[in-house]
Amino acid sequence: MYDFVVVGVGPAGARFARRAAQQGYDVIAFEQGDLGTPLACSGHVSLDVWEFVPDEHHDALFQNDIRGARFHLGGADSSAHPFYKSTPISNAIDRVHLDEVLAEAARDAGADVREHHTVTDVTEHRDRVTVTARGPDDSIDVTAKMVAGSDGPRSRVRDALSLPEPDEFLHGALAFDPDPDHQDFVDVHLTVPGFFAWRIPRGDAGVEYGLAAAPGEDVAGRFDDLVADYGVDVEHRCSGLIPIGPPDTVTSHRGFLLGDAAGQTKP
């Protein structure tokens, strides 16, 4: 019997798996596809990300220092309200590679991390939890003392444990302009109902454009308008859900939620 089975190996799941393994617990972790894909999250992070990234991976992950933001009440040409500091306050990073690095760190700590394993069933018992995962060749049943659900906004673990959903889900869209941009500020557009749009310069990696809004607000159309206003051609479009409002509880008798599954998103 394992101590923990972790469902979902994004940053939250990988970091928990690593820390638990470092403390001597037996950990198995399942990721349904390739690590870091499909991309559905911004690569703009606070500086404390480096506290749990192995030092040797800093240069491969780092893309740009961010020292401030310009807040807009209109489009790209609208007047901006700047906020700026002399030292970096956040970083742009390679978001896909971050997942890969954190998962490998969990492996190095002793966690059994398995890609291409889709969890199809979670059953909570008085003294254990059983998890069924479908792999490339067959299905396996795992027994553990606890299950950690870090499997995203539409968490299968959350449903199986009858835990409440976050208050709402926003629909987010991302895309990238490949032209390098080393500016040290982000642009934030406060014109999207209930949320905002953004532009993040990522050094040699180009520029990230993104937008989120409540379902039904024509996110795709609003996103097209945003990039058209900047006059750029974007590629690698992707989308995902952003949970807003943590639920009243994220724990059950033999399970708990982490990250997006728990509505734990940055403010």
Side-chain angles (χ1 to χ4, degrees):
M1 179 187 294
Y2 289 93
D3 292 305
F4 296 100
V5 54
V6 179
V7 182
V9 193
R15 188 181 184 199
F16 173 78
R18 177 188 181 192
R19 295 185 68 184
Q22 285 174 332
Q23 295 179 35
Y25 293 104
D26 288 330
V27 181
I28 186 169
F30 296 119
E31 174 60 40
Q32 69 175 6
D34 292 317
L35 294 166
T37 57
L39 175 66
C41 185
S42 172
H44 183 209
V45 298
S46 56
L47 298 179
D48 59 4
V49 70
W50 303 117
E51 296 175 10
F52 53 92
V53 170
D55 291 342
E56 64 268 24
H57 294 286
H58 176 278
D59 291 348
L61 287 171
F62 174 83
Q63 293 178 331
N64 197 20
D65 277 326
I66 302 298
R67 290 179 170 83
R70 300 190 308 180
F71 294 91
H72 301 261
L73 299 179
D77 295 328
S78 65
S79 59
H81 303 268
F83 167 83
Y84 208 84
K85 293 187 69 175
S86 59
T87 57
I89 56 177
S90 57
N91 281 167
I93 64 167
D94 183 334
R95 182 61 178 76
V96 171
H97 192 41
L98 175 67
D99 284 21
E100 297 168 341
V101 165
L102 295 181
E104 193 58 37
R107 283 195 177 105
D108 290 344
D112 182 358
V113 178
R114 303 192 187 188
E115 298 175 65
H116 304 288
H117 278 75
T118 300
V119 169
T120 58
D121 186 63
V122 178
T123 304
E124 190 175 34
H125 307 278
R126 182 187 61 80
D127 59 347
R128 68 194 187 285
V129 62
T130 57
V131 174
T132 300
R134 186 178 67 249
D137 301 317
D138 55 12
S139 292
I140 60 173
D141 294 313
V142 171
T143 302
K145 296 175 182 177
M146 299 284 289
V147 59
S150 52
D151 49 340
R154 294 300 189 194
S155 169
R156 182 181 294 273
V157 175
R158 185 179 62 220
D159 292 344
L161 300 181
S162 299
L163 291 171
E165 290 188 343
D167 290 343
E168 62 177 317
F169 296 96
L170 302 184
H171 178 200
L174 288 174
F176 301 89
D177 173 9
D179 291 340
D181 190 330
H182 293 269
Q183 295 179 92
D184 58 357
F185 57 84
V186 300
D187 287 283
V188 181
H189 295 269
L190 305 175
T191 51
V192 181
F195 210 63
F196 60 91
W198 60 90
R199 178 187 185 276
I200 302 170
R202 297 167 59 128
D204 290 337
V207 181
E208 173 188 322
Y209 291 87
L211 180 151
E217 289 287 350
D218 188 18
V219 170
R222 290 181 180 276
F223 184 77
D224 288 342
D225 291 342
L226 172 72
V227 295
D229 201 28
Y230 275 98
V232 296
D233 294 321
V234 293
E235 55 188 36
H236 303 305
R237 290 183 179 236
C238 51
S239 63
L241 294 178
I242 301 175
I244 301 295
D248 292 335
T249 181
V250 296
T251 62
S252 66
H253 181 60
R254 288 282 168 182
F256 55 94
L257 306 177
L258 297 168
D260 283 352
Q264 295 168 341
T265 49
K266 60 187 178 182

